[in-house]
């Protein structure tokens, strides 16, 4: 990251390659959908939807945001067949502002997304019995269309925990995300 806080092209390219490697080798995509990270909760203001916002927002606006996100997800999930056993999710975050926070945006996206899956009866439940893993990666900066791309993988049988864990360790060792 440069002094101005903008990633140099080499670092960004490494992150994008690592993200694609994860999506290709580890989370074979069953479905990819997109959700915004800014919602128009009022007529005049676009709001960055994150955990920080949630902590301070009035319950009326929290419910409004959840309903809006659910309405945005419904058309994208119409052809998604229900998960019967296990699933994992990859969130790829395209940020508008370099000071935004991946865990703040990702955690709320996860909450809204998994609640919608459950409400639409597309997963039996979003607890640890069915949702085996969630991963958050930065896809890059997109000032015109900040968003989170969501990739879902369904497992047809219970994956071996050791194999699952070794894939994660291998991903983080091979990707050089921190360098």
């Amino acid at each position: 990251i440069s002094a101005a806080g903008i990633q140099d092209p080499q670092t960004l390219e490494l992150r994008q390659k690592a993200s694609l490697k994860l999506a290709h080798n580890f989370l074979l995509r069953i479905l990819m959908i997109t959700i915004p990270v800014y919602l128009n909760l009022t007529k005049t203001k676009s709001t960055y939807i994150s955990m920080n916002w949630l902590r301070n927002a009035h319950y009326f606006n929290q419910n409004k945001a959840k309903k809006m996100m659910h309405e945005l997800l419904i058309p994208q999930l119409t052809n998604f067949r229900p998960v019967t056993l296990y699933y994992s999710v990859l969130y790829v975050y395209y940020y508008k502002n370099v000071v935004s926070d991946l865990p703040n945006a990702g955690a709320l996206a996860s909450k809204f997304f998994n609640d919608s899956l459950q409400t639409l009866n597309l997963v039996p439940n979003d607890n640890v019995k069915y949702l085996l893993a969630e991963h958050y990666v930065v896809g890059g900066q997109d000032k015109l269309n900040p968003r989170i791309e969501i990739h879902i993988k369904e497992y047809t049988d219970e994956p071996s925990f050791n194999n699952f864990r070794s894939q994660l360790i291998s991903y983080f060792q091979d990707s050089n995300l921190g360098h």
Side-chain angles (χ1 to χ4, degrees):
I1 297 181
S2 71
I6 299 173
Q7 289 182 339
D8 62 84
Q10 250 183 344
T11 303
L12 190 55
E13 184 179 348
L14 278 174
R15 283 180 179 248
Q16 288 170 338
K17 283 181 181 176
S19 173
L20 291 174
K21 178 181 176 187
L22 178 65
H24 178 71
N25 292 338
F26 181 56
L27 296 178
L28 178 62
R29 182 173 32 185
I30 291 177
L31 176 70
M32 194 280 287
I33 63 173
T34 302
I35 60 172
V37 292
Y38 288 85
L39 290 177
N40 294 322
L41 297 176
T42 67
K43 292 179 182 179
T44 59
K45 187 176 179 189
S46 180
T47 304
Y48 175 61
I49 304 299
S50 69
M51 293 301 290
N52 288 338
W53 167 81
L54 183 69
R55 180 187 66 227
N56 297 318
H58 188 273
Y59 73 91
F60 177 80
N61 285 330
Q62 291 176 3
N63 289 336
K64 184 175 181 180
K66 185 174 181 175
K67 287 177 185 176
M68 288 175 73
M69 197 66 75
H70 183 72
E71 292 300 317
L72 291 169
L73 287 167
I74 289 173
Q76 297 182 75
L77 293 169
T78 55
N79 294 325
F80 182 61
R81 61 181 166 76
V83 171
T84 56
L85 290 175
Y86 313 101
Y87 70 106
S88 61
V89 184
L90 169 67
Y91 299 90
V92 183
Y93 179 45
Y94 293 89
Y95 58 90
K96 179 178 184 177
N97 188 334
V98 295
V99 297
S100 65
D101 189 328
L102 173 64
N104 274 335
L108 198 53
S110 168
K111 177 67 177 153
F112 287 160
F113 176 67
N114 283 297
D115 284 354
S116 289
L117 287 179
Q118 199 167 339
T119 300
L120 296 168
N121 294 317
L122 295 174
V123 295
N125 201 309
D126 61 355
N127 63 25
V128 296
K129 182 177 177 183
Y130 301 100
L131 177 57
L132 300 180
E134 288 192 323
H135 312 278
Y136 303 93
V137 296
V138 174
Q141 187 173 30
D142 189 340
K143 291 181 180 183
L144 300 177
N145 184 23
R147 66 197 178 280
I148 296 178
E149 291 179 353
I150 304 171
H151 304 255
I152 307 165
K153 172 169 177 154
E154 178 181 11
Y155 298 92
T156 55
D157 57 1
E158 187 172 9
S160 158
F161 176 74
N162 288 333
N163 185 33
F164 199 68
R165 187 183 64 176
S166 68
Q167 287 179 346
L168 274 175
I169 291 169
S170 173
Y171 161 71
F172 283 108
Q173 287 174 343
D174 294 345
S175 66
N176 295 318
L177 287 177
H179 302 289

